[in-house]
Amino acid sequence: MLNKGDYICVFCASKVPEDPELGHAAEDLGRLIAENGYNLVYGGGGRGLMGLVAKGAYQAGSHVLGVIPEALSTEESSVSEDSFVGGKGSISTIMVKDMHSRKRIMADKCSAFVSLPGGYGTFEELLEITTWSILGIHNKPIVILNFNGFYDPLVKLFENSVQSGFISDGNMKIASFCDSVGDVLASIDSYVAPETRFNLDWSTS
């Protein structure tokens, strides 16, 4: 269960999707996060789905925290309060040197992860944070928005890996899939980290 003021980390693309409904869904997710009293931490870009989820959260009153590497700040157009009109929230950006620092800060700041559809970068972020959970580095909710079946192939890939003995049956549930933006927060609230994860001590790492 999240507390008011907690950050939700959203992984998403810096590109505009072909389907405009997906863009609306990203903005709706940002708005939903804000309207329920949470804040947003994300990759810091002002374009594509990144910009839309930030816009939704900022306009509805969230603090929007972007974490972006210096090398990507021009390519992804780092966001500021001048980016959107009529916002009720606030925006701040942490500039970092590399991708590893970006992911670590986002993970440290948030209480839950949500992945929207995206490309290689989104997949990499999602799978790394899922691996961190399997290894016991965190036990935070991981929710995947399976918009219009976008992630159906990933569900099948996970199932194939379970059948092949690479993922345990219990760890199949380490990431929760939902079909609509309206189900995201309910999926976060009902999430239970599988007991089949490794119980490792990372305190000295």
Side-chain angles (χ1 to χ4, degrees):
M1 181 69 69
L2 272 60
N3 298 310
K4 300 300 182 183
D6 281 358
Y7 284 86
I8 294 176
C9 177
V10 177
F11 299 135
C12 55
S14 61
K15 295 186 181 299
V16 176
E18 296 290 336
D19 184 352
E21 290 303 312
L22 178 52
H24 297 323
E27 194 168 340
D28 287 345
L29 176 61
R31 187 178 303 111
L32 187 70
I33 288 170
E35 289 175 349
N36 282 271
Y38 306 123
N39 294 308
L40 170 71
V41 59
Y42 81 119
R47 298 174 180 168
L49 293 183
M50 278 192 184
L52 291 169
V53 72
K55 176 183 178 183
Y58 171 65
Q59 290 189 330
S62 276
H63 177 63
V64 174
L65 175 60
V67 186
I68 190 166
E70 292 178 9
L72 281 175
S73 60
T74 301
E75 178 68 24
E76 293 184 353
S77 183
S78 57
V79 74
S80 69
E81 292 182 12
D82 294 332
S83 305
F84 309 120
V85 177
K88 300 177 183 178
S90 57
I91 294 175
S92 60
T93 300
I94 298 174
M95 201 75 71
V96 296
K97 291 293 186 182
D98 54 58
M99 297 294 283
H100 297 293
S101 299
R102 180 194 221 180
K103 289 179 288 187
R104 170 56 70 184
I105 291 172
M106 289 194 295
D108 287 346
K109 293 287 186 182
C110 79
S111 297
F113 302 93
V114 178
S115 183
L116 295 178
Y120 290 129
T122 304
F123 303 155
E124 187 267 343
E125 289 170 327
L126 168 61
L127 292 176
E128 181 164 7
I129 215 65
T130 302
T131 302
W132 287 5
S133 181
I134 290 172
L135 294 175
I137 296 173
H138 74 86
N139 63 355
K140 299 171 183 178
I142 302 169
V143 175
I144 300 171
L145 179 59
N146 190 22
F147 182 86
N148 284 348
F150 180 89
Y151 278 111
D152 284 352
L154 184 61
V155 175
K156 181 61 176 174
L157 181 62
F158 286 178
E159 290 172 346
N160 287 345
S161 193
V162 169
Q163 292 169 6
S164 297
F166 298 119
I167 297 175
S168 70
D169 289 337
N171 283 342
M172 177 67 189
K173 298 179 180 179
I174 206 160
S176 175
F177 291 83
C178 65
D179 295 327
S180 70
V181 170
D183 292 332
V184 168
L185 292 184
S187 295
I188 290 174
D189 286 342
S190 63
Y191 182 87
V192 178
E195 295 181 359
T196 45
R197 300 176 312 129
F198 289 107
N199 183 23
L200 303 177
D201 181 7
W202 293 91
S203 61
T204 59
S205 299

